[in-house]
Amino acid sequence: MTRERIDYAVIGGTGLYRLPGLEGLRKQTLATPYGVPSSEIVCGSLHGRTFAFLARHGETHAIAPHRVNYRANLFALHELGARAVIGINAVGGIREDMAPRTVAVPDQIIDYTHGRLSSFSDAEGATVRHVDFTEPYAPELRAALIEASARAKVPVVDGGCYGATQGPRLETRAEIVRMRRDGCDLVGMTGMPEAVLARELELPYACLALVANWAAGCGEDEEISLQEIFAHLEAATAHVPIILSRLP
Ligand code: HPA
């Protein structure tokens, strides 16, 4: 493995399996003490910054949210020399201003996932660390994403609480009512444990959330159509390389 300075590592979610515009591509296949990452890691440059890209669900979307090896993914990016990690996450919109195709940079998380390996402290013989997680996302990295979006003239919602669910099924109407009551504005399946593992590695981490649909019971439709999800997601995903290319 070649260790290099990576300004930004990007973990692509559903609908984002490569980073358009990345130049001078170098691919790395890494093994870690936690297993194999979801995909090979593609490094390159974009507007004078070095990026590493990893597809969270694999290049063919064969890895379900609860089966992603989040620890291997984060560990590999850290080993490679990443200075910061940006998670791109498809989400459902709960709050009124989180309509499909909205791009948001959430500032809080509520974790409803279960049974996932969510700490490097799980490893045999590891030291148990109780990391501070009051602010789950790195404020400077969030600010950089918001500034980059403004430069790219892409409207983004600054803030919001990301509710992380287990998936792979979507939620029931009652679950979303409860999540709204809890204070969630967005719902997705992959925001955790990714964010906390980055924190354990002291890697600044932020999320660029792409709203693919109204969460269950929030829109006018009785059911959530997958076709609609993919159409909205494609539209929102188109903004991603434009925003990333304006990062400082
Ligand atoms: N719920 C959970 N995860 C999601 C959704 C949703 O409605 N849409 C996209 N990812």
Side-chain angles (χ1 to χ4, degrees):
M1 184 199 63
T2 332
R3 195 182 169 94
E4 54 184 309
R5 182 199 163 97
I6 305 284
D7 296 313
Y8 300 102
V10 176
I11 303 180
T14 304
L16 187 68
Y17 306 104
R18 60 181 201 93
L19 197 53
L22 209 56
E23 291 174 341
L25 302 187
R26 301 173 307 282
K27 298 182 180 178
Q28 312 236 26
T29 308
L30 297 183
T32 79
Y34 304 96
V36 181
S38 298
S39 75
E40 61 181 10
I41 299 173
V42 182
C43 300
S45 63
L46 187 65
H47 267 243
R49 299 280 169 263
T50 46
F51 281 79
F53 181 85
L54 185 151
R56 187 186 289 117
H57 298 284
E59 285 103 349
T60 56
H61 200 106
I63 310 171
H66 63 296
R67 299 194 52 101
V68 169
N69 191 338
Y70 295 95
R71 296 197 303 179
N73 290 352
L74 270 297
F75 192 87
L77 294 173
H78 183 253
E79 278 293 288
L80 210 54
R83 301 294 174 99
V85 179
I86 298 168
I88 313 290
N89 301 79
V91 295
I94 299 176
R95 203 169 73 194
E96 292 66 31
D97 61 341
M98 298 290 191
R101 303 191 182 203
T102 301
V103 180
V105 182
D107 61 356
Q108 275 299 327
I109 298 177
I110 298 180
D111 188 8
Y112 301 90
T113 66
H114 48 86
R116 300 184 182 190
L117 292 169
S118 55
S119 171
F120 291 105
S121 297
D122 289 342
E124 191 78 25
T127 316
V128 179
R129 290 185 59 210
H130 300 287
V131 291
D132 172 63
F133 206 44
T134 311
E135 297 300 334
Y137 299 113
E140 315 78 49
L141 189 57
R142 288 191 63 255
L145 278 172
I146 288 159
E147 174 65 30
S149 306
R151 282 199 211 121
K153 301 199 170 23
V154 176
V156 292
V157 178
D158 175 356
C161 180
Y162 179 115
T165 56
Q166 180 72 354
R169 67 166 176 83
L170 296 166
E171 298 69 37
T172 65
R173 190 192 300 275
E175 285 168 336
I176 294 296
V177 168
R178 175 176 77 143
M179 290 180 75
R180 190 198 290 275
R181 206 163 49 226
D182 285 353
C184 296
D185 303 307
L186 298 161
V187 53
M189 302 173 190
T190 50
M192 284 292 282
E194 203 168 90
V196 75
L197 291 169
R199 179 61 52 87
E200 285 193 354
L201 293 172
E202 298 179 16
L203 270 173
Y205 178 90
C207 162
L208 197 58
L210 309 176
V211 183
N213 55 283
W214 283 115
C218 295
E220 303 203 327
D221 300 335
E222 278 302 305
E223 280 180 22
I224 299 168
S225 112
L226 275 192
Q227 238 173 335
E228 206 180 307
I229 287 192
F230 286 113
H232 290 314
L233 204 49
E234 198 178 326
T237 301
H239 297 304
V240 172
I242 305 169
I243 296 173
L244 296 180
S245 69
R246 298 305 180 99
L247 281 165

